[in-house]
Amino acid sequence: MKVLLTGATGYIGSAVSEHLAAAGHRVVALIRGAEPRPGRGWHAQVVGDTADPASLAGAVTPEIDAVIHLAPPSGDVDVDTAVVDALATPLRGTGRPFVYTSGVWVLGATGEAQEVGEETPTDPIDIVGYRPRIEERVLAEVAEGVRAVVVRPGIVYGRGGGIPALLVDRARRQGVPEYYGDEDVRWPTVHVDDLAELFVAAVERAEAGTVWHGVGESAVAVRDLARAAGRAAGVLAAPQVVTVEQAAEVFGPLFADALALDQSVSGAAARAVLGWQPSGPGAVAELAWGSYRPVEVFGAPDGTDAEAEVTAIRRLVAEVEHAQQNELVDRFLSVFRREDPVWTTGHGKRLSGFEEIAAFTRKVLPGAMTESTAVYDVERVLFLRPDVAAVNVRQQPVRQDGTRITDRPEGRPFYILVKEDGTWRVGAAQNTVVAG
Ligand SMILES: NC(=O)c1ccc[n+]([C@@H]2O[C@H](COP(=O)([O-])OP(=O)(O)OC[C@H]3O[C@@H](n4cnc5c(N)ncnc54)[C@H](OP(=O)(O)O)[C@@H]3O)[C@@H](O)[C@H]2O)c1
């Protein structure tokens, strides 16, 4: 399909462009400003401004098979209604899809109810006050022969962006991770690449008049997201709750209310009906170990997806941490290659070969984490060859609640990783305590 995409340069739109192209569609990006813009996965671009609905008049040509409207609302209900008119009217009587992007904030606080579905009446918070009216306007196009569909994403994360990036930034600036409202606030979340797949599914096969929640995890405790954001920012302190009033001074009252909104929203319908299969890492894992933490990368091999390799390496190191923290001997051992691995511990004990490493781990790991444990963060990856990487890691001692133990030294593990049969494993490892 030839798909006109508004908001194509944005956080979600960039991912949607790539996934549409990967699925064989041709993306026509609607951009504002006359200068051509670079965009991965774009087939063509047209100029238009959603603040000026008249500028959209010629955007939906007869060759456009579908429209995905991702550009954010203007703040003026009449303007946004006119944008829908301009984009949907040329599709009338054709049965072509028009996918409108709303958001789960139109549902308001979901209270005690578990996993609210698409049938739940809207009760928008002020920041999205008139958005349900735009949804209705979009869905009214069904009567005019448009395959009108609404997607409501949860809080989008991944690729180091979205609202979670703000949590990381605040933790870095304040020196303590923050979350808003009260202790028990939960956000429905979705990985940006999973969400992009939902847009592909919606444009390809959602029935006219349907609404879909783009939600991978229905209710993630924001306190946990804040702790993980602190981790990404290198701030190992207990998260602090910030009142809505305090948050309003920083973000303004409307966004502060949104940050403090407690929701539990189901994305089950899209899975069951559209066959949507979200597969990205969870929001907490992505924040703590994924794209929100900068890694220096050297010697990235040509022709390979270096980002994917670094992600796989980060996951391996996250596995080291998880196995160690939870005293999981077999999982810890699974990170080593079988053939002649070597591990020199932080105390200078050299273990040669898998059996020696296994015997030592079985002896020391069980019971070792009762009072303290450690977190491991990848800081530098040097690809010596496409399948061999030298990895510098920072190891920090923490209490069981994740807060830093300040009177204990850090470690600087160094791993030589080898990729065999598509999986990175530790070939050699050495830890060194940072003295002084
Ligand atoms: N991020 C989330 O967690 C989330 C959750 C639920 C719903 N949503 C909704 O998803 C949509 C996209 O969000 P996002 O996070 O991807 O936003 P974003 O990163 O801010 O991107 C906004 C996109 O819209 C374009 N745009 C803005 N004003 C425009 C105008 N007047 N005319 C034409 N294009 C314009 C921007 O183009 P420029 O490059 O020219 O600025 C950019 O491509 C929004 O409707 C948002 O409300 C987002």
Side-chain angles (χ1 to χ4, degrees):
M1 278 192 245
K2 202 172 202 181
V3 183
L4 180 77
L5 179 64
T6 74
T9 56
Y11 174 50
I12 300 172
S14 305
V16 171
S17 298
E18 288 175 35
H19 284 253
L20 282 169
H25 302 295
R26 285 173 297 161
V27 174
V28 179
L30 184 122
I31 54 158
R32 51 179 169 175
E35 284 296 304
R37 306 264 295 266
R40 278 170 79 173
W42 293 358
H43 167 74
Q45 39 193 293
V46 293
V47 175
D49 186 336
T50 54
D52 173 17
S55 73
L56 307 174
V60 186
T61 57
E63 304 86 68
I64 294 293
D65 300 307
V67 174
I68 299 179
H69 180 25
L70 256 166
S74 64
D76 180 325
V77 65
D78 294 332
V79 170
D80 294 350
T81 305
V83 168
V84 171
D85 286 346
L87 296 174
T89 304
L91 303 174
R92 286 184 175 174
T94 66
R96 291 181 186 162
F98 178 83
V99 180
Y100 172 70
T101 314
S102 178
V104 291
W105 289 344
V106 297
L107 297 164
T110 58
E112 293 304 304
Q114 284 305 305
E115 301 203 3
V116 160
E118 287 83 349
E119 70 293 345
T120 305
T122 57
D123 181 16
I125 55 172
D126 289 347
I127 198 168
V128 292
Y130 66 80
R131 220 163 185 179
R133 277 150 64 197
I134 304 293
E135 289 187 356
E136 282 165 24
R137 174 71 195 77
V138 168
L139 296 173
E141 286 296 319
V142 175
E144 305 296 336
V146 178
R147 183 154 66 85
V149 173
V150 171
V151 173
R152 293 179 186 151
I155 303 293
V156 189
Y157 66 91
R159 300 193 180 199
I163 291 173
L166 180 145
L167 296 182
V168 177
D169 186 54
R170 289 292 297 172
R172 193 175 288 125
R173 284 169 194 264
Q174 302 302 108
V176 59
E178 288 181 351
Y179 61 111
Y180 309 97
D182 73 62
E183 299 278 322
D184 301 319
V185 170
R186 301 158 302 163
W187 291 349
T189 59
V190 62
H191 193 287
V192 66
D193 286 287
D194 288 331
L195 178 62
E197 279 299 304
L198 178 59
F199 276 98
V200 174
V203 84
E204 286 180 348
R205 51 188 183 272
E207 282 188 15
T210 52
V211 177
W212 306 98
H213 289 166
V215 170
E217 293 175 289
S218 55
V220 180
V222 185
R223 189 179 19 183
D224 294 341
L225 289 175
R227 184 177 290 110
R231 178 74 193 277
V235 177
L236 300 178
Q240 278 178 15
V241 65
V242 169
T243 65
V244 177
E245 293 72 27
Q246 289 166 327
E249 286 171 23
V250 182
F251 305 111
L254 295 183
F255 193 44
D257 275 347
L259 292 173
L261 185 65
D262 178 42
Q263 293 192 302
S264 175
V265 176
S266 171
R271 289 173 170 86
V273 180
L274 297 178
W276 181 49
Q277 293 179 318
S279 60
V284 169
E286 180 67 11
L287 268 163
W289 298 295
S291 54
Y292 292 84
R293 201 182 164 95
V295 175
E296 288 183 289
V297 179
F298 299 89
D302 292 340
T304 62
D305 185 350
E307 216 173 286
E309 298 300 350
V310 172
T311 299
I313 288 169
R314 288 173 123 142
R315 290 210 181 119
L316 177 83
V317 174
E319 182 69 10
V320 171
E321 175 184 303
H322 177 79
Q324 199 188 38
Q325 287 187 350
N326 296 285
E327 300 178 0
L328 306 172
V329 171
D330 289 338
R331 278 182 72 167
F332 184 79
L333 292 174
S334 73
V335 305
F336 289 91
R337 80 197 282 258
R338 289 279 161 158
E339 208 179 319
D340 305 322
V342 58
W343 171 23
T344 306
T345 70
H347 300 291
K349 186 176 177 61
R350 194 181 72 205
L351 305 159
S352 276
F354 190 83
E355 286 315 318
E356 213 170 296
I357 293 171
F360 179 79
T361 304
R362 282 191 197 102
K363 198 169 112 199
V364 304
L365 188 55
M369 301 291 142
T370 42
E371 282 172 16
S372 66
T373 180
V375 295
Y376 291 73
D377 291 300
V378 176
E379 294 196 313
R380 189 182 193 277
V381 176
L382 166 64
F383 288 97
L384 298 165
R385 286 191 345 204
D387 55 351
V388 179
V391 179
N392 293 96
V393 174
R394 180 180 183 189
Q395 178 200 41
Q396 298 178 79
V398 293
R399 296 179 194 85
Q400 288 296 348
D401 67 0
T403 56
R404 177 80 163 81
I405 302 172
T406 47
D407 58 357
R408 289 252 294 275
E410 296 189 7
R412 288 287 181 274
F414 178 60
Y415 301 146
I416 298 291
L417 304 185
V418 189
K419 191 176 181 186
E420 291 167 335
D421 302 326
T423 304
W424 288 98
R425 291 212 169 77
V426 177
Q430 170 134 16
N431 197 0
T432 308
V433 167
V434 179

